[in-house]
Amino acid sequence: MTENIFLRPLVVEDANVSYKWRNNPDVWKYTLFNPKEPVTLNVEIAWLKNTLNKPDEKRFAICLTKNGRYIGNVQLIKILDQSAEFHIFIGDSEYWGKGIGEKATKHVLDYAFLTLKLNKVSLDVHTENTSAIKIYNKNGFSCISHHDSFMKMEVIADDYMAKYKLFGMRHIIKLDEEEEWKSLVKRALKYDFYHSWTYHLLDNNNGVPMLFVYEMGEDFIAMPVVKRHIQDSEYFDMSSVYGYSGPISNKDFDELPADFVCRFRTSFLDFLKDEKIITVFTRLNPFLDQRSLMEGFGGVVDNGKVVVLDLTKSIEEQRSGYQERLSRKIRQLRNKGFYVKEVNTSKDIRIFYDLYTANMMRLDALDTYYFDEEYFKILLNSDEYDARLLFVYDRNNYPVCGGIVVITNDIMQAHLLGTREEYLKDSPAKLLNEEVSLLGRKLGVKQYNLGGGLGFKEDSLFRWKVNFSNHTLDYQSWRFVANPEIYTSMLSQQDIDISSEIDFFPLYRLQVNKA
C-alpha cells in the first residue's frame, strides 16, 4: 500500500532527524556521497544553515500526509540556464519500497517545469540501483551517457509535459469515438444526460456533434457542441442539443486554477477560429453552476426560470405546496380510476411514439420536435443514464397520456410528454407528475426538473408547472459571437438590425427558422 506525501521547504530544524540518516551507510549505498566520519547534530545544523541560503538550490522535505512525519529529502541543485540537477533519498528505512520515491520525483519535476519553467533536469544514478532507474524511467528520464559505474539521465520539459498532458492539450472527440466520449463524461464531477454520447447520437439538428476537451494533468473542461454549416457561406456556427448541456469538468468550476481556466478559454477561442465558427449558442444546465466559467467569455443571457420539485422533502410537504385546484384535480383523477404504470416493451414504445407525434402535430411543432420510433428505443435503452417511460391509463386500461423522464446522478429531467387530445380536459399529466415524483424518491433522486415555459417565458405552461412547486432555478444560455465582423455582415445582407431586441440567436438564422 502506497503512502500519500507532500513536500515542504527543508528547514534547519530538520537536522534533528536527518543527521541520523547521514550515519546510515545503507542510505548512501548507491550514491557519490560517503561521509568519512560520523555526522553530528551540530555538523548537520551548520551544513543546513549554509546550504539553505543558496539561491541556485531548491530543497524539500518529504513528509507523510497522514501525520506530517519527515522521511526524506528531494532537491534541485545547480539551477542555471533553465536546467538543474535532481537528487533524492528516503532516509527513513521504514518507508523504503513503498512508492514514495516515485511520487516525490513527480512532485519535484512538476515544480521544476511548471513553476520554475526549467527546460531540462538531469541526475546521476548507480547502474546497480535498478529500483531508482525504474522510477526515473517512469517519470520520463532517459539515459544519455555512462561514466564509471554511474549513468547520467535527463528529462526534457517538452517530453515531460507531453507525457503528463501538462501543456494543456485540446482535442476533439467525435461521435465515432463512442468509448472516449462516454469515458470522458464519466470522469466529470457533475453531468446530465444531455452530455451523453447517446443523446448526441440522437440529435436531429442536421449538424455534427462533437465534444471539445481541454485538459492539463488530471484537470479538464469539456464542452459538447453541434457544428452546423451556414447556408451560402464558407462559415459555420455551433449550437447545443435540445435540453440543458453546457460545460462539464472533473471539479467544480470555481475550484479550477485560474490559469487553467484562462488557458481553456484561449484554447476554445482558437478552436472556434480554426473551425471558422461565427457564433456559439448553448443552453446552460441550471443544476451545474456553469455561469461563472462562461461569463469569462461574455454572452451569458438570463432566459428565465425552470420549475423544480425538491424530492428530498416528503410527499406530504410537496402536496402542501400544491395549489388547491391541482390537489383537487389529482384526487378526481384517482377517483375516476386513472392510474400510472411504468412500461418499456416495443409495443409500449410504439404507442408513445403515436401519442407523442399526434401531440406535436396538434401543436404545429417545429420539425426538430419530431422523432422516429427508433429514437425512443435508443433513448430508453442507453446504459449512460436511467430513462423511464410511464403511461397514465384510464379505468379501462387505455393509455391516455405518456411521458419520458431521464435520471442522471441525482437529477431527474421531464424530457418528453404527450396527452391524447380527447383527454386534455382531464389533465392526466398532473397525476403523471405526482407519480413520477414518487418514483424519483424511491430511486434516490433529489431534484425533479419540470422545465420552464415555452421559450422559457412565464406563460401558461410555466404557470401550469408552478402549480406543483414555487421552487425555481434561474436558467441561462450562452450566446457568443466569435467573429463579430462576419456576423454583422450576415445580418446586413438580410437587412436585420444588430441592435434588434428579438429574443433569437443567432439572428441570421431567424428567417430560416421561421420557414
Side-chain angles (χ1 to χ4, degrees):
M1 178 179 178
T2 61
E3 294 276 359
N4 290 324
I5 62 165
F6 67 92
L7 304 184
R8 60 165 175 78
L10 203 62
V11 294
V12 172
E13 289 74 17
D14 290 325
N16 293 297
V17 176
S18 62
Y19 89 95
K20 300 174 184 176
W21 301 336
R22 303 286 184 188
N23 297 296
N24 181 356
D26 289 337
V27 173
W28 314 109
K29 180 178 179 181
Y30 293 119
T31 72
L32 292 169
F33 177 79
N34 188 10
K36 303 302 182 191
E37 56 187 41
V39 176
T40 65
L41 176 59
N42 288 336
V43 169
E44 185 77 351
I45 289 174
W47 179 80
L48 279 172
K49 284 182 176 179
N50 177 61
T51 300
L52 296 182
N53 291 324
K54 293 182 178 180
D56 63 342
E57 297 186 359
K58 300 292 182 181
R59 295 179 177 267
F60 301 93
I62 304 170
C63 304
L64 300 180
T65 301
K66 64 183 180 184
N67 55 18
R69 181 173 173 176
Y70 167 44
I71 61 171
N73 290 3
V74 63
Q75 51 265 343
L76 296 169
I77 67 172
K78 299 181 182 179
I79 302 172
L80 180 67
D81 296 332
Q82 294 186 293
S83 65
E85 283 186 13
F86 172 86
H87 295 265
I88 185 173
F89 70 87
I90 308 300
D92 192 331
S93 60
E94 182 181 342
Y95 293 95
W96 291 352
K98 295 192 175 181
I100 289 172
E102 182 177 346
K103 290 182 178 180
T105 301
K106 174 80 166 57
H107 284 330
V108 167
L109 292 179
D110 283 352
Y111 175 73
F113 296 128
L114 295 176
T115 302
L116 299 183
K117 307 298 183 184
L118 300 184
N119 286 332
K120 180 177 69 176
V121 174
S122 60
L123 60 84
D124 290 288
V125 60
H126 199 287
T127 54
E128 294 181 7
N129 194 354
T130 54
S131 59
I133 293 171
K134 184 177 180 181
I135 288 172
Y136 301 146
N137 283 329
K138 278 187 177 181
N139 279 282
F141 283 93
S142 58
C143 176
I144 59 170
S145 66
H146 288 82
H147 52 95
D148 298 329
S149 56
F150 284 85
M151 177 193 304
K152 189 171 188 65
M153 306 182 77
E154 70 177 20
V155 57
I156 305 301
D158 285 353
D159 296 336
Y160 182 82
M161 301 280 272
K163 176 180 175 66
Y164 290 104
K165 298 182 180 179
L166 296 178
F167 276 123
M169 299 178 66
R170 123 186 161 197
H171 56 104
I172 309 303
I173 302 177
K174 297 185 178 180
L175 273 182
D176 59 2
E177 300 171 282
E178 177 181 353
E179 292 308 315
E180 290 85 348
W181 190 308
K182 289 181 176 180
S183 176
L184 192 284
V185 171
K186 286 182 180 178
R187 286 173 53 199
L189 178 66
K190 302 173 184 176
Y191 61 92
D192 210 332
F193 90 98
Y194 302 110
H195 298 98
S196 69
W197 175 86
T198 300
Y199 194 61
H200 282 80
L201 175 71
L202 295 172
D203 181 70
N204 63 350
N205 279 308
N206 297 317
V208 180
M210 59 184 68
L211 188 61
F212 172 90
V213 183
Y214 181 82
E215 53 186 328
M216 188 170 78
E218 297 299 318
D219 291 336
F220 76 87
I221 299 173
M223 173 79 80
V225 291
V226 179
K227 182 179 178 181
R228 307 177 299 179
H229 180 249
I230 300 173
Q231 189 175 355
D232 299 325
S233 81
E234 61 179 303
Y235 297 103
F236 302 81
D237 58 20
M238 286 182 168
S239 184
S240 60
V241 290
Y242 175 73
Y244 315 95
S245 53
I248 54 175
S249 175
N250 61 304
K251 294 179 180 176
D252 283 325
F253 297 113
D254 291 338
E255 293 182 2
L256 290 167
D259 63 331
F260 173 74
V261 171
C262 183
R263 291 177 186 179
F264 155 72
R265 290 182 180 133
T266 300
S267 181
F268 191 72
L269 292 175
D270 289 343
F271 166 66
L272 298 181
K273 183 177 180 180
D274 293 344
E275 296 290 319
K276 294 187 175 182
I277 303 301
I278 306 305
T279 62
V280 186
F281 173 82
T282 185
R283 303 168 185 87
L284 302 185
N285 192 301
F287 297 95
L288 302 188
D289 302 318
Q290 301 159 327
R291 181 168 193 155
S292 61
L293 177 72
M294 304 312 295
E295 280 183 331
F297 290 101
V300 175
V301 177
D302 288 309
N303 281 113
K305 298 179 181 295
V306 295
V307 180
V308 177
L309 285 175
D310 182 355
L311 302 190
T312 64
K313 296 180 179 180
S314 67
I315 185 61
E316 289 75 23
E317 288 181 272
Q318 177 177 305
R319 287 168 175 163
S320 70
Y322 290 173
Q323 293 188 12
E324 176 55 32
R325 286 180 300 172
L326 173 62
S327 298
R328 185 167 58 250
K329 173 55 71 173
I330 292 175
R331 287 195 298 269
Q332 289 173 353
L333 286 164
R334 294 190 191 279
N335 291 336
K336 289 181 178 180
F338 288 90
Y339 66 96
V340 176
K341 180 181 177 182
E342 183 181 347
V343 296
N344 194 24
T345 67
S346 296
K347 180 180 178 180
D348 295 320
I349 293 173
R350 177 68 192 186
I351 291 171
F352 182 75
Y353 162 74
D354 291 337
L355 190 156
Y356 173 82
T357 302
N359 207 68
M360 292 299 101
M361 292 177 67
R362 178 174 56 82
L363 295 173
D364 194 23
L366 296 173
D367 289 346
T368 53
Y369 289 91
Y370 290 85
F371 311 103
D372 59 23
E373 191 174 343
E374 188 66 18
Y375 170 95
F376 297 107
K377 290 179 180 179
I378 295 173
L379 178 71
L380 287 164
N381 289 289
S382 172
D383 60 0
E384 291 184 88
Y385 46 76
D386 183 4
R388 311 256 177 152
L389 171 61
L390 299 97
F391 279 143
V392 180
Y393 295 89
D394 67 8
R395 65 169 66 246
N396 297 314
N397 302 317
Y398 181 60
V400 301
C401 172
I404 293 177
V405 295
V406 185
I407 303 161
T408 316
N409 302 318
D410 55 6
I411 302 169
M412 181 160 63
Q413 302 281 1
H415 184 49
L416 298 173
L417 177 71
T419 301
R420 297 189 188 279
E421 186 172 7
E422 62 270 29
Y423 285 86
L424 287 173
K425 63 183 183 303
D426 293 301
S427 293
K430 293 179 178 178
L431 176 61
L432 178 63
N433 268 341
E434 178 166 279
E435 289 295 319
V436 167
S437 77
L438 291 170
L439 172 64
R441 286 179 172 87
K442 290 179 182 178
L443 298 173
V445 175
K446 294 181 179 179
Q447 308 254 31
Y448 176 29
N449 183 22
L450 299 181
L454 185 62
F456 292 91
K457 302 296 188 293
E458 295 190 12
D459 57 3
S460 59
L461 176 60
F462 179 82
R463 291 190 292 275
W464 184 89
K465 294 176 180 179
V466 169
N467 285 329
F468 287 89
S469 171
N470 58 10
H471 175 42
T472 61
L473 295 178
D474 292 330
Y475 158 75
Q476 295 93 26
S477 62
W478 184 46
R479 307 179 183 193
F480 182 69
V481 179
N483 190 327
E485 182 180 354
I486 300 300
Y487 182 65
T488 302
S489 174
M490 287 182 171
L491 297 189
S492 177
Q493 291 172 21
Q494 297 184 34
D495 293 325
I496 298 175
D497 184 357
I498 194 170
S499 61
S500 171
E501 295 185 0
I502 298 173
D503 187 16
F504 188 89
F505 186 84
L507 282 170
Y508 56 74
R509 285 193 180 270
L510 180 60
Q511 298 302 324
V512 174
N513 192 69
K514 285 182 178 179

